[in-house]
Amino acid sequence: MNREDKETTGESAHQCPICANTLPYEPAMPRFDAPCSECGYHLWCRQRLPSDVTELEILPGRTPEPWDVDQLVKSLQRRNAHAHVVVDLSRLDMVDSAFVARLMSLNKLIHASGGRLVLRGLSPLVQETFAHLRLSQAFEMDLSDS
């Protein structure tokens, strides 16, 4: 059963990026109303079920705190899942400076631990924001339509 089939049948294709608890739902807004039921992590992203790379899907309307990013990276390191991290921004129409700062922190921490971080799913407005802030050189980006 592929990811789309699981989502239409209600079976989750996502998990908490900290404890790997299955997430059978889209966390409610605001983010503090729906932490992970297992570990209490404030969900600003969710991890797609394991594959050869770590895929993090960013949830709209949520900006992580600095300690959320630190906790995420430590969890990825503990699970040896930091070697290749893909951050999917396709559900975001725009980003603010606080969110960009957290992405930069995540990128720096992943690189410092010997990993690689790739951004994908950037909307035209998000791409324009990154270009305007001159951040296109700071991040590895997959700008393909897939």
Side-chain angles (χ1 to χ4, degrees):
M1 183 179 300
N2 66 29
R3 183 174 54 216
E4 291 80 18
D5 292 339
K6 288 180 182 182
E7 288 175 355
T8 56
T9 62
E11 188 179 334
S12 178
H14 297 91
Q15 59 192 22
C16 172
I18 303 302
C19 69
N21 179 43
T22 300
L23 299 174
Y25 59 89
E26 172 82 22
M29 290 293 291
R31 73 188 193 104
F32 293 106
D33 287 346
C36 173
S37 62
E38 187 71 24
C39 69
Y41 183 69
H42 298 287
L43 296 168
W44 60 279
C45 67
R46 58 188 184 177
Q47 186 172 338
R48 291 200 175 116
L49 287 180
S51 65
D52 56 341
V53 300
T54 300
E55 291 186 62
L56 301 174
E57 179 185 53
I58 303 302
L59 298 170
R62 295 162 172 88
T63 298
E65 296 296 334
W67 54 84
D68 293 329
V69 173
D70 291 341
Q71 188 177 6
L72 172 63
V73 172
K74 287 176 185 170
S75 174
L76 293 174
Q77 290 170 332
R78 268 192 315 273
R79 294 181 289 128
N80 200 26
H82 64 285
H84 187 180
V85 178
V86 174
V87 178
D88 183 355
L89 303 172
S90 62
R91 298 190 60 202
L92 302 181
D93 294 326
M94 60 182 201
V95 293
D96 62 15
S97 60
F99 186 79
V100 171
R102 299 311 183 271
L103 280 180
M104 291 185 71
S105 175
L106 179 63
N107 191 34
K108 180 180 175 181
L109 292 168
I110 294 291
H111 280 269
S113 66
R116 174 178 168 222
L117 183 132
V118 178
L119 301 180
R120 86 162 176 226
L122 286 78
S123 72
L125 184 57
V126 172
Q127 285 183 43
E128 185 178 315
T129 301
F130 274 73
H132 178 72
L133 296 172
R134 299 175 190 215
L135 293 173
S136 53
Q137 301 299 317
F139 291 99
E140 183 177 346
M141 294 184 220
D142 177 359
L143 299 177
S144 64
D145 290 335
S146 57

